[in-house]
Amino acid sequence: MSSRRATSFDVFGSRSRPSASAPGGAEASSRLVPVVVGAGFDALADPLSKPSDTTGALGGSFYVAAVNTQMAVYDRNGVQVVAPIQLDQLHANSAGLFVFDPKVVYDQYLDTFLLLYLVVEDSPRLSWIVTVAIPNATASDPGTWCAVSFRGDEVPGATALWADYPGLGFNETHVTITTNQFTFPTSTGRFVYSQVMTIDKGRLYDCNQPAPSPTVFAGTKTQDDKGHQAFTLRPAETVGSTPGPQLLTSFQPAKGKRDYLTIWRIKPTVSGFALKRASKRTGKVSFPPFGTQGGGDPNDPELWWDAGDHRFINAFYDADRNQIFTAHAVFRNFQPDPLTGGYPEAAVRWYEIDPAEVLKNSVVVRKGVVGAPEVDVGWPTVATDSTGTLFVTYSRASAPHGEFLSAWVATIPPGATAETQLLVHDGLSTYDAIQGPERWGDFTAINRDPVDGQNIATFNQYASSSTQWQQFISVVTDN
């Protein structure tokens, strides 16, 4: 975003990188499996926005992509069919205002894309959550789209708060939106609680119907079962013939081996919806260091990049297998380090949770780490294909190996933990857009192709010049 304000990810003051010895020569990297289907294509870029907030989804006929303050539509061959539109033009409540943090998902149950973005202003104090339903069949015609706005703070009578860093998920009947709620002014905002809204799809997708009224959970209702206020709840994007209730995930760093994730469920009852939760230990999860990149010195913070932190970016529920997946950035000390003699890596840690009818009986069945010695990875999102193979898309770079900020994907077969990594698009330049460590993120995106379930669409980015990122869209298979 341009003029980025205080957000969930403004954490540079607490980030560091242990020292490493001087970098050695570059080393090439190659992978045979998985493979990219077709060439992929460059999508959006914005010279005024840092980081990119890249997002998107693939439907039956089109891609919908967004970054920061704009969106566009492409056909399945990568041809742009709707030129970039500024997000603030999509709804009257956002016209001319500060818009940020878009998210896009594809709802295969109703063959509809859903675009979400946030609006905030300090004077006068206002915050909006805007959704735009885009029917896949007519995605090339903006006249068929349906835009709806919600107050950023949907808790009646509460102190005015503004909504940040949204999550967007769905099951068969409802869309669920999550946000982190901060106090005004935005420059010094203090986190108060997470907000969860679940909304009937019929009214959200059809502007000929009355505006929808969300069911809202916030405050003590979004505390986990250990009494901590959840931060960055992630509603699952759901696939499968029997999707069931809406599932969500969150992570809580506690202390050492007491760190835990929480699985949440929104379930209908005779008196309305209820939000339940159950926490599960993950073992120790250490905070990731800044990453390095080609052209930089591992000990020089000017070219470090932000690989993310403990919070999950998305969740994905494979209802046919009753498996929910999520991932985040962590510290992992891979060995050996032949070029530096010692290098602390930023890595990706992913989880598979099998939810139980009694939520406390849910089990973290698998977890694994994606990374490699003397490289840094971050900003992961996850999805499974129709065979149950897990795909993780992420950013990667390395000063020791001379790797610029690049787009990658990894696959993990069902029941396994070892991954195979694939370079999707290599970076072209050392990225040095701001003074000090570089902003990079804050999202990536991924979804299963509704036409061929063994294909996965990824929405990532690479460094195209010293000051510019470039969104890149690809389709990957492990077949």
Side-chain angles (χ1 to χ4, degrees):
M1 293 183 301
S2 57
S3 303
R4 178 115 186 157
R5 308 185 183 200
T7 73
S8 306
F9 276 87
D10 287 340
V11 293
F12 289 136
S14 63
R15 300 293 296 276
S16 64
R17 182 173 190 87
S19 63
S21 55
E27 178 178 297
S29 178
S30 62
R31 297 291 186 272
L32 298 178
V33 177
V35 296
V36 177
V37 179
F41 60 95
D42 286 340
L44 297 168
D46 180 357
L48 300 178
S49 298
K50 301 173 184 64
S52 76
D53 294 347
T54 188
T55 185
L58 171 61
S61 303
F62 298 98
Y63 298 88
V64 173
V67 296
N68 306 87
T69 62
Q70 57 182 281
M71 59 83 64
V73 181
Y74 303 83
D75 69 18
R76 288 182 65 99
N77 293 316
V79 176
Q80 192 175 88
V81 296
V82 175
I85 299 173
Q86 293 298 117
L87 298 180
D88 66 359
Q89 299 176 16
L90 295 175
H91 194 283
N93 283 347
S94 59
L97 302 179
F98 185 82
V99 297
F100 64 108
D101 279 5
K103 297 284 285 185
V104 178
V105 297
Y106 171 72
D107 176 359
Q108 76 277 2
Y109 299 110
L110 292 182
D111 194 25
T112 299
F113 297 96
L114 190 65
L115 163 68
L116 175 150
Y117 63 93
L118 303 179
V119 183
V120 68
E121 291 289 335
D122 280 330
S123 183
R125 292 183 174 181
L126 61 86
S127 176
W128 293 101
I129 300 169
V130 179
T131 65
V132 184
I134 302 174
N136 173 67
T138 57
S140 59
D141 180 6
T144 66
W145 303 356
C146 173
V148 177
S149 70
F150 302 91
R151 292 171 301 179
D153 183 0
E154 283 284 340
V155 179
T159 302
L161 301 174
W162 61 282
D164 183 41
Y165 204 67
L168 180 60
F170 58 88
N171 63 358
E172 190 171 21
T173 61
H174 282 70
V175 165
T176 297
I177 298 169
T178 60
T179 50
N180 294 328
Q181 303 297 106
F182 287 83
T183 59
F184 286 96
T186 56
S187 59
T188 58
R190 175 181 56 83
F191 174 70
V192 180
Y193 53 70
S194 290
Q195 176 176 267
V196 177
M197 303 192 308
T198 191
I199 309 160
D200 176 77
K201 287 182 186 177
R203 294 187 177 187
L204 190 67
Y205 291 4
D206 185 357
C207 283
N208 292 316
Q209 296 191 39
S213 297
T215 298
V216 181
F217 304 95
T220 58
K221 294 181 179 179
T222 51
Q223 290 179 354
D224 63 35
D225 54 349
K226 297 183 183 298
H228 291 110
Q229 176 55 242
F231 190 46
T232 313
L233 276 154
R234 282 295 172 248
E237 302 168 48
T238 306
V239 298
S241 57
T242 55
Q246 175 72 63
L247 295 172
L248 309 89
T249 62
S250 64
F251 181 80
Q252 178 64 44
K255 187 175 182 181
K257 295 182 179 180
R258 298 171 62 190
D259 295 343
Y260 61 92
L261 62 77
T262 302
I263 181 169
W264 307 70
R265 181 167 57 203
I266 301 173
K267 193 171 184 178
T269 70
V270 293
S271 57
F273 286 100
L275 180 63
K276 302 294 184 180
R277 74 281 287 160
S279 297
K280 297 294 170 181
R281 294 277 179 88
T282 59
K284 183 178 181 180
V285 179
S286 298
F287 202 80
F290 283 114
T292 71
Q293 57 174 315
D297 183 322
N299 297 314
D300 182 2
E302 177 57 32
L303 294 177
W304 292 348
W305 60 283
D306 179 21
D309 62 21
H310 280 155
R311 284 159 279 187
F312 298 139
I313 300 177
N314 85 320
F316 188 89
Y317 180 49
D318 188 330
D320 290 333
R321 295 173 175 82
N322 192 36
Q323 298 167 340
I324 185 169
F325 295 88
T326 193
H328 56 178
V330 301
F331 162 75
R332 175 67 180 265
N333 191 9
F334 292 98
Q335 296 289 337
D337 297 318
L339 301 180
T340 62
Y343 188 97
E345 291 88 2
V348 162
R349 195 179 195 194
W350 57 267
Y351 306 88
E352 178 206 325
I353 308 104
D354 289 6
E357 179 63 28
V358 178
L359 208 55
K360 68 179 181 180
N361 294 333
S362 302
V363 179
V364 179
V365 176
R366 283 190 295 162
K367 56 187 178 183
V369 176
V370 177
E374 298 176 314
V375 303
D376 296 295
V377 304
W379 302 110
T381 46
V382 296
T384 62
D385 70 4
S386 57
T387 72
T389 296
L390 175 64
F391 287 68
V392 185
T393 191
Y394 53 93
S395 296
R396 177 175 140 162
S398 169
H401 290 266
E403 182 179 346
F404 303 129
L405 281 158
S406 306
W408 286 71
V409 69
T411 57
I412 301 98
T417 56
E419 87 285 355
T420 301
Q421 299 187 49
L422 171 73
L423 173 63
V424 175
H425 198 294
D426 57 338
L428 305 180
S429 177
T430 304
Y431 187 74
D432 188 15
I434 62 173
Q435 185 174 0
E438 304 303 315
R439 292 298 305 269
W440 193 261
D442 277 343
F443 305 117
T444 54
I446 191 169
N447 77 301
R448 187 186 295 182
D449 183 351
V451 175
D452 183 344
Q454 288 188 275
N455 290 344
I456 295 290
T458 69
F459 299 77
N460 210 317
Q461 61 184 352
Y462 63 90
S464 58
S465 74
S466 62
T467 59
Q468 182 61 59
W469 49 262
Q470 172 65 59
Q471 186 184 47
F472 189 75
I473 298 175
S474 62
V475 175
V476 184
T477 187
D478 198 32
N479 185 15

